[in-house]
Amino acid sequence: MNKRVYLWHFRALEYCNRGMRRWFASRGIAWQDVLNDGVDAELLLASGDAMAIAAVEFAASTGWTREPIAGDAAAKRGGCV
């Protein structure tokens, strides 16, 4: 199974785009790659970052879906840009 965390997972947790861009850049991960393909869950877990781990847990709870679950109001939320 492809265990990836996608942008909508982060947005549902109300993570800020600006903060996410910085976080990924500091780890050598291109933002465009995150937008296009999501992020491998193992990479996020290995970071030890509590917010990254929470995103993995949320993605797992949604069945690792690439697209938001229909009717999921959480998918429409988001923090700063």
Side-chain angles (χ1 to χ4, degrees):
M1 170 168 281
N2 189 13
K3 295 182 179 179
R4 297 190 73 77
V5 180
Y6 297 98
L7 183 63
W8 84 267
H9 294 119
F10 297 111
R11 298 286 306 217
L13 294 171
E14 299 185 356
Y15 293 177
C16 170
N17 278 358
R18 186 176 299 127
M20 286 189 294
R21 284 176 189 243
R22 286 187 198 134
W23 192 90
F24 287 114
S26 73
R27 287 157 178 81
I29 301 167
W31 180 244
Q32 196 61 48
D33 291 344
V34 175
L35 296 178
N36 293 338
D37 302 318
V39 182
D40 184 83
E42 291 302 320
L43 186 143
L44 294 173
L45 292 173
S47 74
D49 183 278
M51 292 176 74
I53 293 167
V56 170
E57 291 170 350
F58 178 68
S61 77
T62 66
W64 305 104
T65 60
R66 184 178 185 97
E67 299 296 327
I69 297 169
D72 187 355
K76 296 177 179 72
R77 293 193 313 241
C80 65
V81 253

XYZ file of all heavy atoms in Angstrom:
627
model
N 0.838 -1.193 0.000
C 0.000 0.000 0.000
C 0.880 1.252 0.000
O 1.910 1.288 0.654
C -0.908 0.007 1.213
C -1.628 1.337 1.380
S -2.946 1.332 2.572
C -4.205 0.561 1.590
N 0.457 2.234 -0.752
C 1.161 3.498 -0.859
C 0.793 4.377 0.343
O -0.281 4.964 0.376
C 0.777 4.182 -2.167
C 1.626 5.385 -2.439
O 2.643 5.605 -1.810
N 1.190 6.175 -3.394
N 1.661 4.453 1.315
C 1.379 5.244 2.514
C 1.998 6.622 2.361
O 3.164 6.841 2.673
C 1.907 4.527 3.755
C 1.180 3.231 4.009
C 1.670 2.563 5.259
C 0.881 1.279 5.482
N 1.338 0.587 6.679
N 1.177 7.528 1.822
C 1.622 8.899 1.581
C 0.666 9.863 2.254
O -0.524 9.598 2.392
C 1.706 9.171 0.088
C 2.746 8.260 -0.592
C 3.050 8.644 -2.006
N 3.856 9.840 -2.136
C 5.180 9.900 -1.927
N 5.832 8.853 -1.524
N 5.839 11.026 -2.116
N 1.214 10.971 2.645
C 0.428 12.047 3.250
C 0.325 13.147 2.196
O 1.336 13.581 1.641
C 1.100 12.560 4.534
C 0.275 13.670 5.164
C 1.299 11.407 5.530
N -0.894 13.551 1.921
C -1.146 14.538 0.869
C -1.506 15.890 1.465
O -1.845 15.997 2.648
C -2.260 14.037 -0.057
C -1.848 12.773 -0.764
C -2.246 11.525 -0.296
C -1.009 12.811 -1.876
C -1.841 10.356 -0.923
C -0.592 11.654 -2.511
C -1.013 10.433 -2.026
O -0.596 9.277 -2.644
N -1.448 16.906 0.630
C -1.694 18.267 1.091
C -3.011 18.382 1.848
O -3.077 19.057 2.872
C -1.658 19.242 -0.091
C -1.832 20.706 0.295
C -0.691 21.175 1.193
C -1.933 21.572 -0.941
N -4.035 17.709 1.391
C -5.325 17.865 2.063
C -5.275 17.357 3.507
O -5.973 17.885 4.369
C -6.456 17.219 1.261
C -6.666 15.754 1.460
C -6.137 14.749 0.714
C -7.482 15.133 2.456
N -6.570 13.532 1.193
C -7.400 13.741 2.255
C -8.274 15.605 3.493
C -8.082 12.823 3.055
C -8.943 14.689 4.290
C -8.844 13.320 4.076
N -4.423 16.374 3.780
C -4.278 15.891 5.159
C -3.718 17.003 6.050
O -4.218 17.244 7.145
C -3.347 14.678 5.224
C -3.884 13.472 4.529
N -3.222 12.896 3.463
C -4.994 12.721 4.740
C -3.903 11.841 3.059
N -4.988 11.715 3.807
N -2.682 17.673 5.557
C -2.092 18.768 6.322
C -3.083 19.907 6.505
O -3.199 20.484 7.579
C -0.830 19.294 5.621
C 0.285 18.300 5.513
C 0.643 17.779 4.270
C 0.992 17.880 6.624
C 1.694 16.881 4.153
C 2.038 16.979 6.519
C 2.384 16.471 5.285
N -3.799 20.224 5.430
C -4.769 21.321 5.484
C -5.906 21.010 6.443
O -6.377 21.897 7.151
C -5.324 21.601 4.084
C -4.303 22.044 3.048
C -3.863 23.450 3.249
N -5.009 24.317 3.292
C -5.067 25.521 2.798
N -4.032 25.999 2.174
N -6.129 26.257 2.921
N -6.329 19.755 6.470
C -7.393 19.365 7.389
C -6.968 19.560 8.842
O -7.802 19.840 9.707
C -7.796 17.911 7.151
N -5.682 19.454 9.096
C -5.150 19.671 10.441
C -4.823 21.139 10.688
O -4.294 21.501 11.730
C -3.897 18.806 10.649
C -4.158 17.308 10.651
C -2.844 16.538 10.647
C -5.013 16.902 11.842
N -5.152 21.972 9.692
C -4.974 23.419 9.750
C -3.513 23.838 9.819
O -3.158 24.844 10.424
C -5.788 24.039 10.887
C -7.276 23.808 10.713
C -8.119 24.502 11.753
O -7.571 25.120 12.691
O -9.347 24.430 11.630
N -2.635 23.083 9.160
C -1.228 23.451 9.084
C -1.070 24.579 8.070
O -1.683 24.563 7.001
C -0.362 22.267 8.668
C -0.291 21.155 9.693
C 0.416 20.006 9.417
C -0.921 21.240 10.930
C 0.510 18.969 10.344
C -0.836 20.216 11.860
C -0.129 19.082 11.563
O -0.039 18.070 12.477
N -0.243 25.506 8.387
C -0.006 26.696 7.574
C 0.900 26.370 6.375
O 1.948 25.745 6.550
C 0.644 27.732 8.471
S 1.297 29.169 7.662
N 0.487 26.778 5.185
C 1.311 26.538 3.992
C 2.710 27.113 4.148
O 3.695 26.474 3.787
C 0.662 27.132 2.743
C -0.392 26.240 2.151
O -0.643 25.143 2.623
N -1.041 26.718 1.119
N 2.805 28.320 4.666
C 4.110 28.967 4.815
C 5.011 28.137 5.729
O 6.179 27.886 5.422
C 3.946 30.375 5.377
C 5.230 31.159 5.417
C 5.016 32.600 5.885
N 4.130 33.291 4.966
C 3.021 33.948 5.345
N 2.683 34.016 6.605
N 2.265 34.552 4.459
N 4.464 27.690 6.834
C 5.237 26.860 7.754
C 5.620 25.523 7.149
O 6.742 25.037 7.342
N 4.691 24.935 6.396
C 4.994 23.653 5.758
C 6.093 23.816 4.715
O 6.988 22.985 4.622
C 3.739 23.062 5.114
C 2.760 22.503 6.120
S 1.405 21.578 5.351
C 0.549 22.850 4.451
N 6.023 24.884 3.943
C 7.065 25.126 2.928
C 8.443 25.193 3.580
O 9.403 24.602 3.095
C 6.801 26.433 2.182
C 5.706 26.348 1.168
C 5.482 27.740 0.582
N 4.323 27.762 -0.246
C 4.346 28.022 -1.543
N 5.483 28.296 -2.145
N 3.244 28.031 -2.240
N 8.515 25.930 4.684
C 9.794 26.056 5.388
C 10.246 24.706 5.939
O 11.423 24.363 5.861
C 9.663 27.060 6.535
C 9.603 28.482 6.087
C 9.636 29.417 7.287
N 9.152 30.717 6.892
C 8.275 31.433 7.568
N 7.781 30.987 8.703
N 7.888 32.603 7.117
N 9.321 23.976 6.528
C 9.649 22.688 7.144
C 10.202 21.732 6.092
O 11.244 21.113 6.295
C 8.406 22.107 7.813
C 8.685 20.942 8.709
C 8.977 20.987 10.037
C 8.684 19.556 8.344
N 9.162 19.710 10.518
C 8.991 18.810 9.498
C 8.458 18.867 7.158
C 9.077 17.436 9.502
C 8.545 17.486 7.166
C 8.847 16.787 8.324
N 9.522 21.625 4.965
C 9.981 20.723 3.913
C 11.299 21.199 3.317
O 12.202 20.399 3.070
C 8.911 20.530 2.836
C 7.769 19.680 3.300
C 6.499 20.203 3.455
C 7.966 18.341 3.606
C 5.448 19.414 3.897
C 6.923 17.532 4.052
C 5.663 18.076 4.200
N 11.442 22.490 3.071
C 12.683 23.023 2.510
C 13.867 22.733 3.424
O 14.954 22.391 2.947
C 12.554 24.530 2.270
N 13.647 22.825 4.729
C 14.750 22.571 5.668
C 15.188 21.112 5.647
O 16.264 20.777 6.136
C 14.344 22.976 7.090
O 13.419 22.054 7.644
N 14.369 20.261 5.058
C 14.690 18.838 4.945
C 15.003 18.421 3.504
O 15.070 17.245 3.182
C 13.541 18.017 5.507
C 13.524 18.111 7.035
C 12.177 17.814 7.628
N 12.234 17.862 9.079
C 12.195 18.984 9.795
N 12.116 20.154 9.200
N 12.247 18.944 11.117
N 15.156 19.432 2.639
C 15.535 19.163 1.258
C 14.428 18.565 0.406
O 14.691 17.921 -0.602
N 13.184 18.807 0.804
C 12.032 18.271 0.062
C 11.380 19.423 -0.693
O 10.983 20.425 -0.086
C 11.020 17.612 1.015
C 11.703 16.476 1.786
C 9.801 17.108 0.251
C 10.904 15.973 2.965
N 11.272 19.282 -1.997
C 10.692 20.344 -2.822
C 9.189 20.456 -2.577
O 8.468 19.456 -2.581
C 10.965 20.059 -4.298
N 8.743 21.680 -2.377
C 7.323 21.934 -2.126
C 6.463 21.419 -3.279
O 5.404 20.848 -3.069
C 7.103 23.420 -1.886
C 5.684 23.793 -1.621
C 4.894 24.585 -2.403
C 4.876 23.406 -0.513
N 3.645 24.712 -1.841
C 3.611 23.989 -0.674
C 5.093 22.607 0.604
C 2.567 23.813 0.236
C 4.048 22.431 1.513
C 2.804 23.025 1.325
N 6.928 21.609 -4.504
C 6.155 21.152 -5.662
C 5.967 19.641 -5.636
O 4.911 19.136 -6.024
C 6.829 21.584 -6.967
C 5.910 21.488 -8.169
C 4.678 22.373 -8.045
O 4.761 23.550 -7.707
N 3.516 21.803 -8.306
N 6.958 18.910 -5.143
C 6.823 17.457 -5.004
C 5.740 17.103 -3.994
O 4.974 16.168 -4.192
C 8.150 16.816 -4.583
C 9.198 16.883 -5.668
O 8.836 17.143 -6.840
O 10.385 16.677 -5.348
N 5.686 17.866 -2.908
C 4.645 17.650 -1.895
C 3.271 17.886 -2.521
O 2.343 17.100 -2.339
C 4.846 18.575 -0.671
C 3.712 18.431 0.315
C 6.188 18.295 0.001
N 3.159 18.975 -3.272
C 1.875 19.298 -3.905
C 1.462 18.227 -4.909
O 0.293 17.849 -4.976
C 1.958 20.650 -4.615
C 2.204 21.870 -3.730
C 2.308 23.121 -4.590
C 1.139 22.023 -2.676
N 2.414 17.751 -5.694
C 2.099 16.791 -6.756
C 1.903 15.367 -6.263
O 1.012 14.668 -6.736
C 3.202 16.795 -7.816
C 3.260 18.087 -8.583
O 2.302 18.841 -8.647
N 4.412 18.356 -9.147
N 2.760 14.929 -5.355
C 2.812 13.506 -5.006
C 2.664 13.190 -3.530
O 2.772 12.028 -3.138
C 4.142 12.907 -5.486
C 4.331 13.081 -6.974
O 3.359 12.886 -7.727
O 5.451 13.430 -7.391
N 2.481 14.194 -2.699
C 2.428 13.934 -1.273
C 3.812 13.574 -0.745
O 4.819 13.755 -1.417
N 3.837 13.064 0.484
C 5.093 12.749 1.148
C 5.002 11.350 1.731
O 3.977 10.971 2.306
C 5.363 13.748 2.296
C 6.683 13.474 2.974
C 5.298 15.175 1.812
N 6.067 10.598 1.614
C 6.116 9.260 2.173
C 5.953 9.331 3.689
O 6.631 10.104 4.367
C 7.451 8.604 1.813
C 7.499 7.182 2.296
O 6.985 6.301 1.596
O 8.066 6.962 3.388
N 5.049 8.529 4.209
C 4.762 8.535 5.642
C 5.988 8.183 6.473
O 6.207 8.764 7.546
C 3.621 7.566 5.941
N 6.803 7.271 5.992
C 8.001 6.866 6.738
C 8.968 8.032 6.916
O 9.593 8.170 7.969
C 8.693 5.692 6.054
C 7.905 4.399 6.115
C 7.594 3.942 7.538
O 8.470 4.059 8.416
O 6.470 3.473 7.770
N 9.087 8.871 5.899
C 9.951 10.044 5.992
C 9.452 10.980 7.089
O 10.239 11.494 7.890
C 9.999 10.760 4.649
C 10.972 11.925 4.572
C 11.615 11.955 3.204
C 10.284 13.224 4.857
N 8.150 11.188 7.132
C 7.584 12.060 8.157
C 7.777 11.465 9.547
O 8.146 12.177 10.485
C 6.100 12.308 7.882
C 5.786 13.105 6.617
C 4.291 13.144 6.367
C 6.352 14.511 6.705
N 7.542 10.178 9.688
C 7.724 9.528 10.989
C 9.175 9.608 11.449
O 9.450 9.855 12.630
C 7.271 8.071 10.924
C 5.767 7.843 10.751
C 5.482 6.370 10.526
C 4.989 8.386 11.943
N 10.097 9.416 10.517
C 11.517 9.441 10.853
C 11.975 10.810 11.344
O 12.971 10.907 12.056
C 12.348 9.015 9.650
N 11.234 11.851 10.989
C 11.613 13.202 11.418
C 11.467 13.363 12.925
O 12.126 14.200 13.531
C 10.758 14.259 10.710
O 9.441 14.286 11.257
N 10.579 12.579 13.532
C 10.332 12.701 14.958
C 9.506 13.918 15.335
O 9.207 14.142 16.500
N 9.113 14.707 14.360
C 8.341 15.928 14.583
C 6.902 15.568 14.945
O 6.245 14.807 14.225
C 8.385 16.784 13.316
C 7.662 18.095 13.489
O 6.422 18.127 13.355
O 8.349 19.095 13.766
N 6.408 16.114 16.042
C 5.070 15.774 16.528
C 3.976 16.114 15.513
O 3.019 15.349 15.350
C 4.792 16.475 17.850
N 4.121 17.237 14.816
C 3.099 17.615 13.846
C 3.151 16.700 12.620
O 2.110 16.366 12.048
C 3.252 19.080 13.449
C 2.921 20.021 14.604
S 3.184 21.763 14.219
C 1.791 22.071 13.143
N 4.340 16.287 12.227
C 4.481 15.356 11.103
C 3.865 14.011 11.461
O 3.153 13.401 10.654
C 5.951 15.196 10.731
N 4.101 13.560 12.681
C 3.529 12.294 13.139
C 2.013 12.375 13.186
O 1.314 11.443 12.779
C 4.137 11.904 14.500
C 5.633 11.589 14.327
C 3.387 10.731 15.122
C 6.408 11.485 15.621
N 1.483 13.513 13.635
C 0.026 13.699 13.674
C -0.561 13.635 12.269
O -1.647 13.072 12.061
C -0.326 15.025 14.343
N 0.147 14.190 11.293
C -0.327 14.148 9.903
C -0.358 12.709 9.397
O -1.303 12.313 8.707
C 0.546 15.025 9.010
N 0.646 11.925 9.741
C 0.677 10.511 9.339
C -0.494 9.771 9.980
O -1.191 8.995 9.320
C 2.022 9.852 9.725
C 1.964 8.340 9.526
C 3.153 10.460 8.919
N -0.729 10.013 11.247
C -1.831 9.348 11.942
C -3.167 9.713 11.316
O -4.041 8.862 11.141
C -1.800 9.686 13.428
C -0.617 9.060 14.136
C -0.418 9.566 15.554
O -1.082 10.554 15.962
O 0.423 8.978 16.258
N -3.321 10.991 10.948
C -4.568 11.418 10.311
C -4.723 10.761 8.935
O -5.799 10.268 8.590
C -4.627 12.943 10.186
C -5.873 13.414 9.493
C -7.110 13.274 10.090
C -5.811 13.970 8.228
C -8.271 13.683 9.438
C -6.950 14.383 7.569
C -8.192 14.242 8.180
N -3.640 10.747 8.160
C -3.696 10.119 6.835
C -4.066 8.645 6.959
O -4.867 8.127 6.177
C -2.369 10.286 6.112
N -3.513 7.960 7.950
C -3.845 6.546 8.173
C -5.317 6.389 8.505
O -5.984 5.462 8.026
C -2.974 5.975 9.279
N -5.848 7.319 9.281
C -7.259 7.225 9.682
C -8.208 7.447 8.509
O -9.377 7.073 8.584
C -7.570 8.232 10.800
O -7.694 9.551 10.291
N -7.706 8.037 7.423
C -8.537 8.269 6.237
C -8.278 7.219 5.160
O -8.764 7.347 4.043
C -8.275 9.665 5.630
O -6.948 9.717 5.116
C -8.495 10.762 6.648
N -7.473 6.223 5.485
C -7.185 5.171 4.520
C -6.170 5.582 3.467
O -6.141 5.017 2.382
N -5.343 6.585 3.794
C -4.277 7.044 2.900
C -4.825 7.593 1.576
O -4.169 7.538 0.547
C -3.266 5.943 2.611
C -2.672 5.354 3.850
C -2.984 4.140 4.393
C -1.714 5.937 4.726
N -2.261 3.944 5.540
C -1.465 5.023 5.765
C -1.018 7.148 4.723
C -0.578 5.285 6.801
C -0.128 7.405 5.753
C 0.087 6.485 6.769
N -6.036 8.121 1.574
C -6.637 8.608 0.339
C -5.902 9.821 -0.220
O -5.473 10.694 0.517
C -8.120 8.983 0.550
O -8.198 10.014 1.531
C -8.929 7.781 0.981
N -5.776 9.840 -1.541
C -5.121 10.965 -2.218
C -6.036 12.183 -2.244
O -5.582 13.321 -2.172
C -4.738 10.561 -3.642
C -3.981 11.637 -4.364
C -3.556 11.202 -5.764
N -2.750 12.213 -6.363
C -1.415 12.222 -6.376
N -0.756 11.239 -5.834
N -0.763 13.207 -6.936
N -7.309 11.944 -2.364
C -8.299 13.024 -2.423
C -9.100 13.052 -1.127
O -9.295 12.020 -0.491
C -9.251 12.804 -3.602
C -8.563 12.781 -4.952
C -7.921 14.111 -5.315
O -8.456 15.165 -4.925
O -6.875 14.084 -5.978
N -9.574 14.240 -0.758
C -10.387 14.328 0.464
C -11.610 13.419 0.399
O -12.154 13.165 -0.680
C -10.819 15.789 0.490
C -9.823 16.499 -0.349
C -9.395 15.517 -1.401
N -11.996 12.960 1.535
C -13.183 12.123 1.634
C -14.401 13.009 1.387
O -14.506 14.097 1.952
C -13.256 11.465 3.019
C -12.045 10.553 3.201
C -14.551 10.697 3.204
C -11.854 10.056 4.612
N -15.302 12.556 0.530
C -16.500 13.338 0.196
C -17.248 13.732 1.459
O -17.487 12.905 2.336
C -17.402 12.535 -0.726
N -17.583 15.000 1.542
C -18.344 15.489 2.679
C -17.503 15.756 3.915
O -18.025 16.136 4.948
N -16.199 15.576 3.832
C -15.337 15.795 4.986
C -15.055 17.282 5.119
O -14.254 17.849 4.386
C -14.031 15.015 4.828
C -13.161 15.083 6.082
O -13.521 15.804 7.024
O -12.131 14.406 6.101
N -15.721 17.920 6.067
C -15.548 19.362 6.262
C -14.115 19.701 6.628
O -13.615 20.778 6.310
C -16.501 19.851 7.346
N -13.408 18.782 7.282
C -12.021 19.035 7.688
C -11.133 19.280 6.480
O -10.162 20.021 6.570
C -11.495 17.864 8.498
N -11.449 18.685 5.351
C -10.615 18.837 4.166
C -10.682 20.253 3.601
O -9.802 20.668 2.872
C -11.051 17.851 3.090
N -11.707 20.987 3.958
C -11.880 22.336 3.424
C -11.193 23.394 4.272
O -11.041 24.519 3.859
C -13.365 22.636 3.309
C -14.052 21.727 2.315
C -15.544 22.002 2.280
C -16.231 21.136 1.276
N -16.337 19.756 1.656
N -10.794 23.027 5.480
C -10.139 23.982 6.362
C -8.696 24.158 5.921
O -8.140 23.353 5.224
C -10.170 23.484 7.796
C -11.541 23.442 8.392
C -11.487 23.258 9.881
N -10.572 22.191 10.286
C -10.926 21.111 10.940
N -12.165 20.899 11.238
N -10.018 20.221 11.307
N -8.124 25.189 6.423
C -6.707 25.396 6.149
C -6.198 26.609 6.900
O -6.976 27.488 7.248
N -4.934 26.638 7.161
C -4.333 27.751 7.878
C -3.902 28.844 6.931
O -4.433 29.005 5.846
N -2.891 29.587 7.343
C -2.406 30.696 6.534
C -1.801 30.197 5.225
O -1.500 29.033 5.074
C -1.372 31.493 7.313
S 0.128 30.581 7.679
N -1.659 31.065 4.283
C -1.046 30.718 3.019
C 0.369 31.171 3.052
O 1.239 30.782 2.477
C -1.762 31.362 1.818
C -2.530 30.354 1.058
C -2.577 32.518 2.218
